[in-house]
Amino acid sequence: LSVIKLKPQDILDLKKVDESLKAIYDLGYFENVEAYLEDGERGAILVFKVKERPLLKDAEFKGNKSVKEQTLFRVIKLKKGEIVTPELLDKAISHIIDYYEQ
């Protein structure tokens, strides 16, 4: 709510709706953000629909025999409970490849 550019009772401004959508998305917690209007008793209700990014519940390293799993967790730089983005997964893969190449 703190990044939304409109407050209750404001006049609907599509530019502020767009800015709010971008601000919500830029938080990094959501993989999709949409806005739509619903009819209310005293005017339009602006609704933001979000799809949260998944949280890392656990990770497994298959095929690894020479490196302790604890070490690989440090290498990938991901923690349980952290929001997972495609960019973070790509970085984790890159970190593992670099580690093994060294």
Side-chain angles (χ1 to χ4, degrees), residues 22-36:
K22 183 177 179 347
I24 293 169
Y25 186 79
D26 287 348
L27 291 171
Y29 300 131
F30 309 105
E31 61 184 55
N32 192 36
V33 183
E34 300 173 3
Y36 60 92

Side-chain angles (χ1 to χ4, degrees), residues 47-86:
V47 178
F48 291 96
K49 181 179 177 184
V50 297
K51 182 176 180 190
E52 290 181 307
R53 292 188 185 276
L55 297 177
L56 181 64
K57 182 178 177 183
D58 203 359
E60 291 182 23
F61 300 95
K62 294 187 177 184
N64 171 52
K65 295 178 182 158
S66 61
V67 181
K68 291 181 181 180
E69 204 169 271
Q70 187 178 29
T71 300
L72 289 177
F73 270 108
R74 282 195 303 272
V75 169
I76 64 171
K77 300 178 182 176
L78 293 175
K79 297 178 181 79
K80 291 180 184 179
E82 182 176 15
I83 293 173
V84 180
T85 65

